[in-house]
Amino acid sequence: MADYYTGKKEYFPKIKKIKYAGAKSGNPLAFKYYDAEKKVGKKKMKDHLRFAVAYWHSFCADGADPFGAPTHPHPWIADARNPMEAAEHKMDAAFEFISKLGAEFYCFHDRDMSPEGETPAESIKNLETLAARAKKCQKAAGVKLLWGTSNLFTHPRFMNGAATNPEFSVVALAASQVKAAIDATIELGGQGFTFWGGREGYMSLLNTDLKREKDHLARFLSMARDYGRKQGWKGAFYIEPKPMEPAKHQYDYDTETVIGFLRHYGLDKDFRLNIEANHAELAGHDFFHELETAASEGLLGSVDANRGEPRNGWDTDQFPNNYYETALAMYAILKGGGFSTGGLNFDAKIRRNSVDGEDLFIAHIGGMDAFAAGLEIAQRIITDGVIPGFVKKRYVSFNAGDGAKFEKGELSFETLAGLGSAYGRAGLTSGKQEYLENVLNRYLLGL
Ligand code: XUL
Ligand code: CO
């Protein structure tokens, strides 16, 4: 019996520990670029990337979609006699998988790990029981918790929202759930706690008091923050922006909107952003834009690593495989100082027709390789210095003289306007975009 899970049964018996085999390897069950111990810049790859497996997609999602029945029958559920036993088996499968994959972290929603009870008190008890078990599994498998979260969107009681529900009793029920999830996260040594507000938004403005709902959301988040800090927890709170789905409009629309919200309500000291690639796309941005926007304000916390399908505009949550996108993502992350509490969580699911036992491994291996390659490319951009150097030079006129005075707020508007009349032919300097794009492509090919 393997020593990385506490169950009696191995759920992925044909898969051995995944190893690095190099780019020339044709083995689908080996890493081509992710070499955990390899140093890139000042840190090892694993410490830059901090990969996490998402409990919900990997061990709960069963391939069902709005048009079809499940296609991924989970062996760890099939042999269970009741929901708590199913949760235990699922946990064994999860820790076996994470350990064989060699990811250091995982993320979970309360309801992924533990079933809803008949009453709120029973739900809390279930979570406490299973979190105590998860603690043992973490230790045995050498896996850590990147972040925990509460599922405030599946149960029918949340159909009109959770913290933004027009009924106070639902807001209070949401608080009882979040409190228990924060407790479980602390118990498990979690480094973060995420709020993604799938139903914190509206379906119609005809029945919605926008101002009140946003105030309620901020009040709820402040109270949750205060509770966590009162327990002595020093981890990061995250908000994960998404513009829509399932709500028509979500209040945490995109990074810029969330930053404004956090600053307005004084939450920006404790909250940072958890940025998801597919959500960026739904908001009409690219992943790089969202990461750079958060990083430029010192608010980049963590990342949900996936990709969408640009032609259909749904949250398809596919595994990342676009090296151009991962390179730019890692460039933004490295420029922002890298991860501290955060990491790269695969908020991604295998396709409905990916039904082989090995497919979940192959998907994660591809995603980890895509970010490892992206990291190497990003490091090349930084080490070579051409692109960052160009950006620096572009703003050189603000480094001294009147430009520096302008930045420091030492010029009146009249003085600024007066200086303007002296610069008749200013502004005709090339932005060199095509040149920079060509330089980037050279790094992409490792030249
Ligand atoms: C939904 C989504 C969630 C959050 C956690 O689109 O991304 O899985 O990451 O609730
Ligand atoms: Co997500």
Side-chain angles (χ1 to χ4, degrees), residues 213-238:
E213 291 204 358
K214 279 192 267 186
D215 284 350
H216 292 176
L217 179 58
R219 172 76 61 218
F220 188 97
L221 295 173
S222 309
M223 292 165 80
R225 182 263 327 262
D226 293 345
Y227 174 73
R229 296 299 181 230
K230 217 158 60 190
Q231 310 313 302
W233 185 66
K234 300 212 163 51
F237 289 98
Y238 304 124

PDB file of all heavy atoms in Angstrom, residues 213-238:
ATOM      1  N   GLU A 213     -26.948  46.318  -2.355  1.00  0.00           N
ATOM      2  CA  GLU A 213     -26.293  45.004  -2.517  1.00  0.00           C
ATOM      3  C   GLU A 213     -24.778  45.137  -2.437  1.00  0.00           C
ATOM      4  O   GLU A 213     -24.099  44.308  -1.825  1.00  0.00           O
ATOM      5  CB  GLU A 213     -26.728  44.347  -3.837  1.00  0.00           C
ATOM      6  CG  GLU A 213     -28.190  43.927  -3.816  1.00  0.00           C
ATOM      7  CD  GLU A 213     -28.546  42.806  -4.779  1.00  0.00           C
ATOM      8  OE1 GLU A 213     -27.660  42.346  -5.527  1.00  0.00           O
ATOM      9  OE2 GLU A 213     -29.724  42.388  -4.782  1.00  0.00           O
ATOM     10  N   LYS A 214     -24.232  46.182  -3.056  1.00  0.00           N
ATOM     11  CA  LYS A 214     -22.766  46.341  -3.013  1.00  0.00           C
ATOM     12  C   LYS A 214     -22.295  46.683  -1.591  1.00  0.00           C
ATOM     13  O   LYS A 214     -21.268  46.182  -1.142  1.00  0.00           O
ATOM     14  CB  LYS A 214     -22.309  47.388  -4.030  1.00  0.00           C
ATOM     15  CG  LYS A 214     -22.228  46.784  -5.436  1.00  0.00           C
ATOM     16  CD  LYS A 214     -21.526  47.682  -6.407  1.00  0.00           C
ATOM     17  CE  LYS A 214     -22.520  48.549  -7.114  1.00  0.00           C
ATOM     18  NZ  LYS A 214     -21.967  49.362  -8.172  1.00  0.00           N
ATOM     19  N   ASP A 215     -23.066  47.508  -0.904  1.00  0.00           N
ATOM     20  CA  ASP A 215     -22.735  47.810   0.503  1.00  0.00           C
ATOM     21  C   ASP A 215     -22.776  46.536   1.347  1.00  0.00           C
ATOM     22  O   ASP A 215     -21.919  46.317   2.204  1.00  0.00           O
ATOM     23  CB  ASP A 215     -23.733  48.824   1.094  1.00  0.00           C
ATOM     24  CG  ASP A 215     -23.467  50.244   0.608  1.00  0.00           C
ATOM     25  OD1 ASP A 215     -22.410  50.478  -0.025  1.00  0.00           O
ATOM     26  OD2 ASP A 215     -24.319  51.123   0.851  1.00  0.00           O
ATOM     27  N   HIS A 216     -23.788  45.692   1.091  1.00  0.00           N
ATOM     28  CA  HIS A 216     -23.903  44.443   1.862  1.00  0.00           C
ATOM     29  C   HIS A 216     -22.713  43.527   1.589  1.00  0.00           C
ATOM     30  O   HIS A 216     -22.178  42.898   2.502  1.00  0.00           O
ATOM     31  CB  HIS A 216     -25.204  43.709   1.506  1.00  0.00           C
ATOM     32  CG  HIS A 216     -26.434  44.427   1.962  1.00  0.00           C
ATOM     33  ND1 HIS A 216     -27.705  43.989   1.674  1.00  0.00           N
ATOM     34  CD2 HIS A 216     -26.589  45.572   2.681  1.00  0.00           C
ATOM     35  CE1 HIS A 216     -28.599  44.818   2.206  1.00  0.00           C
ATOM     36  NE2 HIS A 216     -27.939  45.786   2.820  1.00  0.00           N
ATOM     37  N   LEU A 217     -22.307  43.461   0.323  1.00  0.00           N
ATOM     38  CA  LEU A 217     -21.166  42.616  -0.031  1.00  0.00           C
ATOM     39  C   LEU A 217     -19.915  43.086   0.719  1.00  0.00           C
ATOM     40  O   LEU A 217     -19.193  42.283   1.323  1.00  0.00           O
ATOM     41  CB  LEU A 217     -20.934  42.664  -1.552  1.00  0.00           C
ATOM     42  CG  LEU A 217     -19.768  41.844  -2.094  1.00  0.00           C
ATOM     43  CD1 LEU A 217     -19.915  40.367  -1.731  1.00  0.00           C
ATOM     44  CD2 LEU A 217     -19.671  41.987  -3.620  1.00  0.00           C
ATOM     45  N   ALA A 218     -19.706  44.403   0.709  1.00  0.00           N
ATOM     46  CA  ALA A 218     -18.523  44.954   1.388  1.00  0.00           C
ATOM     47  C   ALA A 218     -18.598  44.719   2.897  1.00  0.00           C
ATOM     48  O   ALA A 218     -17.606  44.355   3.534  1.00  0.00           O
ATOM     49  CB  ALA A 218     -18.403  46.448   1.098  1.00  0.00           C
ATOM     50  N   ARG A 219     -19.778  44.890   3.466  1.00  0.00           N
ATOM     51  CA  ARG A 219     -19.955  44.655   4.918  1.00  0.00           C
ATOM     52  C   ARG A 219     -19.632  43.199   5.252  1.00  0.00           C
ATOM     53  O   ARG A 219     -18.904  42.904   6.190  1.00  0.00           O
ATOM     54  CB  ARG A 219     -21.408  44.995   5.319  1.00  0.00           C
ATOM     55  CG  ARG A 219     -21.787  44.619   6.725  1.00  0.00           C
ATOM     56  CD  ARG A 219     -21.226  45.553   7.782  1.00  0.00           C
ATOM     57  NE  ARG A 219     -21.726  46.903   7.596  1.00  0.00           N
ATOM     58  CZ  ARG A 219     -21.016  48.020   7.783  1.00  0.00           C
ATOM     59  NH1 ARG A 219     -19.771  47.933   8.192  1.00  0.00           N
ATOM     60  NH2 ARG A 219     -21.530  49.212   7.575  1.00  0.00           N
ATOM     61  N   PHE A 220     -20.157  42.296   4.433  1.00  0.00           N
ATOM     62  CA  PHE A 220     -19.955  40.858   4.652  1.00  0.00           C
ATOM     63  C   PHE A 220     -18.465  40.511   4.565  1.00  0.00           C
ATOM     64  O   PHE A 220     -17.927  39.811   5.426  1.00  0.00           O
ATOM     65  CB  PHE A 220     -20.741  40.089   3.579  1.00  0.00           C
ATOM     66  CG  PHE A 220     -20.798  38.599   3.774  1.00  0.00           C
ATOM     67  CD1 PHE A 220     -21.894  38.007   4.393  1.00  0.00           C
ATOM     68  CD2 PHE A 220     -19.773  37.772   3.331  1.00  0.00           C
ATOM     69  CE1 PHE A 220     -21.961  36.627   4.566  1.00  0.00           C
ATOM     70  CE2 PHE A 220     -19.829  36.390   3.500  1.00  0.00           C
ATOM     71  CZ  PHE A 220     -20.930  35.822   4.114  1.00  0.00           C
ATOM     72  N   LEU A 221     -17.783  41.032   3.546  1.00  0.00           N
ATOM     73  CA  LEU A 221     -16.358  40.726   3.367  1.00  0.00           C
ATOM     74  C   LEU A 221     -15.531  41.304   4.520  1.00  0.00           C
ATOM     75  O   LEU A 221     -14.589  40.668   5.002  1.00  0.00           O
ATOM     76  CB  LEU A 221     -15.857  41.281   2.021  1.00  0.00           C
ATOM     77  CG  LEU A 221     -16.476  40.634   0.771  1.00  0.00           C
ATOM     78  CD1 LEU A 221     -16.027  41.373  -0.489  1.00  0.00           C
ATOM     79  CD2 LEU A 221     -16.113  39.157   0.666  1.00  0.00           C
ATOM     80  N   SER A 222     -15.895  42.510   4.963  1.00  0.00           N
ATOM     81  CA  SER A 222     -15.160  43.122   6.081  1.00  0.00           C
ATOM     82  C   SER A 222     -15.323  42.273   7.340  1.00  0.00           C
ATOM     83  O   SER A 222     -14.368  42.064   8.096  1.00  0.00           O
ATOM     84  CB  SER A 222     -15.686  44.523   6.405  1.00  0.00           C
ATOM     85  OG  SER A 222     -15.743  45.294   5.254  1.00  0.00           O
ATOM     86  N   MET A 223     -16.554  41.788   7.565  1.00  0.00           N
ATOM     87  CA  MET A 223     -16.808  40.983   8.770  1.00  0.00           C
ATOM     88  C   MET A 223     -16.059  39.660   8.707  1.00  0.00           C
ATOM     89  O   MET A 223     -15.491  39.212   9.711  1.00  0.00           O
ATOM     90  CB  MET A 223     -18.318  40.744   8.935  1.00  0.00           C
ATOM     91  CG  MET A 223     -19.084  42.018   9.278  1.00  0.00           C
ATOM     92  SD  MET A 223     -20.869  41.834   9.032  1.00  0.00           S
ATOM     93  CE  MET A 223     -21.317  40.979  10.521  1.00  0.00           C
ATOM     94  N   ALA A 224     -16.048  39.042   7.525  1.00  0.00           N
ATOM     95  CA  ALA A 224     -15.315  37.775   7.358  1.00  0.00           C
ATOM     96  C   ALA A 224     -13.822  38.011   7.586  1.00  0.00           C
ATOM     97  O   ALA A 224     -13.146  37.218   8.255  1.00  0.00           O
ATOM     98  CB  ALA A 224     -15.564  37.204   5.964  1.00  0.00           C
ATOM     99  N   ARG A 225     -13.320  39.110   7.037  1.00  0.00           N
ATOM    100  CA  ARG A 225     -11.901  39.471   7.238  1.00  0.00           C
ATOM    101  C   ARG A 225     -11.594  39.636   8.728  1.00  0.00           C
ATOM    102  O   ARG A 225     -10.635  39.072   9.260  1.00  0.00           O
ATOM    103  CB  ARG A 225     -11.618  40.770   6.457  1.00  0.00           C
ATOM    104  CG  ARG A 225     -10.194  41.297   6.479  1.00  0.00           C
ATOM    105  CD  ARG A 225      -9.908  42.384   7.485  1.00  0.00           C
ATOM    106  NE  ARG A 225     -10.973  43.301   7.787  1.00  0.00           N
ATOM    107  CZ  ARG A 225     -11.110  44.519   7.242  1.00  0.00           C
ATOM    108  NH1 ARG A 225     -10.262  44.933   6.338  1.00  0.00           N
ATOM    109  NH2 ARG A 225     -12.113  45.318   7.625  1.00  0.00           N
ATOM    110  N   ASP A 226     -12.462  40.402   9.415  1.00  0.00           N
ATOM    111  CA  ASP A 226     -12.245  40.634  10.856  1.00  0.00           C
ATOM    112  C   ASP A 226     -12.259  39.315  11.630  1.00  0.00           C
ATOM    113  O   ASP A 226     -11.459  39.112  12.540  1.00  0.00           O
ATOM    114  CB  ASP A 226     -13.317  41.569  11.429  1.00  0.00           C
ATOM    115  CG  ASP A 226     -13.181  42.983  10.861  1.00  0.00           C
ATOM    116  OD1 ASP A 226     -12.122  43.278  10.272  1.00  0.00           O
ATOM    117  OD2 ASP A 226     -14.145  43.767  10.995  1.00  0.00           O
ATOM    118  N   TYR A 227     -13.173  38.420  11.229  1.00  0.00           N
ATOM    119  CA  TYR A 227     -13.247  37.123  11.914  1.00  0.00           C
ATOM    120  C   TYR A 227     -11.934  36.349  11.728  1.00  0.00           C
ATOM    121  O   TYR A 227     -11.353  35.853  12.699  1.00  0.00           O
ATOM    122  CB  TYR A 227     -14.437  36.289  11.393  1.00  0.00           C
ATOM    123  CG  TYR A 227     -14.431  34.908  11.987  1.00  0.00           C
ATOM    124  CD1 TYR A 227     -14.786  34.706  13.313  1.00  0.00           C
ATOM    125  CD2 TYR A 227     -13.986  33.806  11.246  1.00  0.00           C
ATOM    126  CE1 TYR A 227     -14.720  33.452  13.893  1.00  0.00           C
ATOM    127  CE2 TYR A 227     -13.922  32.543  11.811  1.00  0.00           C
ATOM    128  CZ  TYR A 227     -14.291  32.379  13.139  1.00  0.00           C
ATOM    129  OH  TYR A 227     -14.208  31.135  13.706  1.00  0.00           O
ATOM    130  N   GLY A 228     -11.465  36.274  10.491  1.00  0.00           N
ATOM    131  CA  GLY A 228     -10.221  35.542  10.214  1.00  0.00           C
ATOM    132  C   GLY A 228      -9.050  36.122  10.996  1.00  0.00           C
ATOM    133  O   GLY A 228      -8.259  35.390  11.600  1.00  0.00           O
ATOM    134  N   ARG A 229      -8.946  37.447  11.018  1.00  0.00           N
ATOM    135  CA  ARG A 229      -7.828  38.089  11.726  1.00  0.00           C
ATOM    136  C   ARG A 229      -7.928  37.866  13.238  1.00  0.00           C
ATOM    137  O   ARG A 229      -6.920  37.715  13.913  1.00  0.00           O
ATOM    138  CB  ARG A 229      -7.784  39.599  11.404  1.00  0.00           C
ATOM    139  CG  ARG A 229      -7.511  39.910   9.934  1.00  0.00           C
ATOM    140  CD  ARG A 229      -6.159  39.380   9.465  1.00  0.00           C
ATOM    141  NE  ARG A 229      -5.881  39.691   8.066  1.00  0.00           N
ATOM    142  CZ  ARG A 229      -5.488  38.808   7.154  1.00  0.00           C
ATOM    143  NH1 ARG A 229      -5.332  37.528   7.458  1.00  0.00           N
ATOM    144  NH2 ARG A 229      -5.243  39.187   5.913  1.00  0.00           N
ATOM    145  N   LYS A 230      -9.187  37.846  13.734  1.00  0.00           N
ATOM    146  CA  LYS A 230      -9.388  37.604  15.167  1.00  0.00           C
ATOM    147  C   LYS A 230      -8.898  36.212  15.568  1.00  0.00           C
ATOM    148  O   LYS A 230      -8.500  35.982  16.714  1.00  0.00           O
ATOM    149  CB  LYS A 230     -10.884  37.733  15.495  1.00  0.00           C
ATOM    150  CG  LYS A 230     -11.148  38.366  16.842  1.00  0.00           C
ATOM    151  CD  LYS A 230     -12.539  38.971  16.958  1.00  0.00           C
ATOM    152  CE  LYS A 230     -13.629  37.927  16.764  1.00  0.00           C
ATOM    153  NZ  LYS A 230     -14.977  38.470  16.632  1.00  0.00           N
ATOM    154  N   GLN A 231      -8.916  35.293  14.613  1.00  0.00           N
ATOM    155  CA  GLN A 231      -8.391  33.939  14.890  1.00  0.00           C
ATOM    156  C   GLN A 231      -6.860  33.909  14.785  1.00  0.00           C
ATOM    157  O   GLN A 231      -6.248  32.852  14.927  1.00  0.00           O
ATOM    158  CB  GLN A 231      -8.954  32.900  13.898  1.00  0.00           C
ATOM    159  CG  GLN A 231     -10.460  32.911  13.708  1.00  0.00           C
ATOM    160  CD  GLN A 231     -11.197  32.948  15.022  1.00  0.00           C
ATOM    161  OE1 GLN A 231     -11.013  32.066  15.866  1.00  0.00           O
ATOM    162  NE2 GLN A 231     -12.026  33.968  15.224  1.00  0.00           N
ATOM    163  N   GLY A 232      -6.273  35.053  14.443  1.00  0.00           N
ATOM    164  CA  GLY A 232      -4.816  35.104  14.318  1.00  0.00           C
ATOM    165  C   GLY A 232      -4.313  34.636  12.962  1.00  0.00           C
ATOM    166  O   GLY A 232      -3.118  34.449  12.758  1.00  0.00           O
ATOM    167  N   TRP A 233      -5.235  34.465  12.012  1.00  0.00           N
ATOM    168  CA  TRP A 233      -4.831  33.956  10.689  1.00  0.00           C
ATOM    169  C   TRP A 233      -4.205  35.081   9.867  1.00  0.00           C
ATOM    170  O   TRP A 233      -4.754  36.175   9.772  1.00  0.00           O
ATOM    171  CB  TRP A 233      -6.063  33.393   9.978  1.00  0.00           C
ATOM    172  CG  TRP A 233      -5.745  32.734   8.672  1.00  0.00           C
ATOM    173  CD1 TRP A 233      -5.007  31.597   8.482  1.00  0.00           C
ATOM    174  CD2 TRP A 233      -6.172  33.162   7.371  1.00  0.00           C
ATOM    175  NE1 TRP A 233      -4.949  31.293   7.142  1.00  0.00           N
ATOM    176  CE2 TRP A 233      -5.649  32.223   6.439  1.00  0.00           C
ATOM    177  CE3 TRP A 233      -6.947  34.223   6.905  1.00  0.00           C
ATOM    178  CZ2 TRP A 233      -5.880  32.335   5.069  1.00  0.00           C
ATOM    179  CZ3 TRP A 233      -7.168  34.330   5.545  1.00  0.00           C
ATOM    180  CH2 TRP A 233      -6.641  33.398   4.645  1.00  0.00           C
ATOM    181  N   LYS A 234      -3.024  34.800   9.266  1.00  0.00           N
ATOM    182  CA  LYS A 234      -2.301  35.847   8.543  1.00  0.00           C
ATOM    183  C   LYS A 234      -2.358  35.659   7.035  1.00  0.00           C
ATOM    184  O   LYS A 234      -1.689  36.382   6.283  1.00  0.00           O
ATOM    185  CB  LYS A 234      -0.840  35.854   9.007  1.00  0.00           C
ATOM    186  CG  LYS A 234      -0.693  36.121  10.506  1.00  0.00           C
ATOM    187  CD  LYS A 234       0.589  36.869  10.825  1.00  0.00           C
ATOM    188  CE  LYS A 234       0.568  37.505  12.196  1.00  0.00           C
ATOM    189  NZ  LYS A 234       0.191  36.602  13.296  1.00  0.00           N
ATOM    190  N   GLY A 235      -3.133  34.690   6.581  1.00  0.00           N
ATOM    191  CA  GLY A 235      -3.186  34.407   5.135  1.00  0.00           C
ATOM    192  C   GLY A 235      -3.842  35.526   4.346  1.00  0.00           C
ATOM    193  O   GLY A 235      -4.275  36.534   4.899  1.00  0.00           O
ATOM    194  N   ALA A 236      -3.900  35.325   3.031  1.00  0.00           N
ATOM    195  CA  ALA A 236      -4.459  36.359   2.151  1.00  0.00           C
ATOM    196  C   ALA A 236      -5.916  36.047   1.820  1.00  0.00           C
ATOM    197  O   ALA A 236      -6.264  34.894   1.552  1.00  0.00           O
ATOM    198  CB  ALA A 236      -3.660  36.410   0.861  1.00  0.00           C
ATOM    199  N   PHE A 237      -6.739  37.082   1.842  1.00  0.00           N
ATOM    200  CA  PHE A 237      -8.089  36.962   1.299  1.00  0.00           C
ATOM    201  C   PHE A 237      -8.013  37.354  -0.176  1.00  0.00           C
ATOM    202  O   PHE A 237      -7.313  38.318  -0.515  1.00  0.00           O
ATOM    203  CB  PHE A 237      -9.053  37.903   2.029  1.00  0.00           C
ATOM    204  CG  PHE A 237      -9.362  37.467   3.437  1.00  0.00           C
ATOM    205  CD1 PHE A 237      -8.687  38.024   4.514  1.00  0.00           C
ATOM    206  CD2 PHE A 237     -10.328  36.510   3.679  1.00  0.00           C
ATOM    207  CE1 PHE A 237      -8.963  37.625   5.814  1.00  0.00           C
ATOM    208  CE2 PHE A 237     -10.622  36.102   4.983  1.00  0.00           C
ATOM    209  CZ  PHE A 237      -9.933  36.662   6.047  1.00  0.00           C
ATOM    210  N   TYR A 238      -8.731  36.610  -1.001  1.00  0.00           N
ATOM    211  CA  TYR A 238      -8.738  36.940  -2.431  1.00  0.00           C
ATOM    212  C   TYR A 238     -10.164  37.161  -2.915  1.00  0.00           C
ATOM    213  O   TYR A 238     -11.091  36.486  -2.464  1.00  0.00           O
ATOM    214  CB  TYR A 238      -8.187  35.779  -3.274  1.00  0.00           C
ATOM    215  CG  TYR A 238      -6.808  35.304  -2.909  1.00  0.00           C
ATOM    216  CD1 TYR A 238      -6.590  33.967  -2.583  1.00  0.00           C
ATOM    217  CD2 TYR A 238      -5.715  36.170  -2.933  1.00  0.00           C
ATOM    218  CE1 TYR A 238      -5.322  33.502  -2.263  1.00  0.00           C
ATOM    219  CE2 TYR A 238      -4.445  35.706  -2.610  1.00  0.00           C
ATOM    220  CZ  TYR A 238      -4.257  34.372  -2.275  1.00  0.00           C
ATOM    221  OH  TYR A 238      -3.012  33.916  -1.965  1.00  0.00           O
TER     222      TYR A 238
END
